[in-house]
Amino acid sequence: SLPCGIESQPLSNLCPPPPTPDDAVDMILSGSKEGKKIFFSKRTDESIVNAFKDLVKAEAVVRHEAFSQHLCLHLKEIRFLREERGLDTFDVVKCKDEPTDGVI
């Protein structure tokens, strides 16, 4: 049993997917959830702000792709292990790169 006040949750809730690249740029430039203000002054050169946006977006793309690849590998492993034990796999979502069952 869990300590008082703690509810059990699916493990997937503990590791939410990273934001999309555009959302990451918006979050950084608009301030964080804690209400912090933008750290660029109004006199900052626009090229510096654009370079920063590009760097944030590039990192967000890498993080998002890594998460997607990891999720796909995890789903393939779950499907394989279920099939190996003779269990149903109808509820396991297929990855984008996996072929569908004869449906084009």
Side-chain angles (χ1 to χ4, degrees):
S1 91
L2 296 172
C4 182
I6 297 178
E7 296 179 20
S8 62
Q9 297 181 8
L11 193 55
S12 60
N13 288 353
L14 299 176
C15 185
T20 63
D22 293 330
D23 289 343
V25 171
D26 291 342
M27 284 180 358
I28 293 295
L29 294 179
S30 67
S32 64
K33 293 179 190 174
E34 293 84 28
K36 295 179 183 175
K37 299 293 180 191
I38 299 174
F39 46 85
F40 288 114
S41 71
K42 293 181 181 181
R43 291 179 269 156
T44 305
D45 187 15
E46 191 66 28
S47 63
I48 293 173
V49 175
N50 289 335
F52 182 73
K53 285 181 190 178
D54 293 341
L55 291 172
V56 168
K57 191 167 189 171
E59 182 177 343
V61 166
V62 170
R63 287 178 183 266
H64 200 266
E65 287 177 359
F67 181 84
S68 297
Q69 289 174 356
H70 175 77
L71 182 61
C72 188
L73 290 173
H74 178 69
L75 291 172
K76 286 178 182 178
E77 180 182 24
I78 294 298
R79 188 175 300 104
F80 172 76
L81 291 172
R82 284 188 181 182
E83 288 172 350
E84 193 176 63
R85 294 183 299 176
L87 300 173
D88 287 332
T89 59
F90 67 89
D91 60 335
V92 180
V93 180
K94 290 195 181 271
C95 298
K96 293 177 184 176
D97 63 344
E98 283 186 293
T100 55
D101 298 328
V103 179
I104 297 176

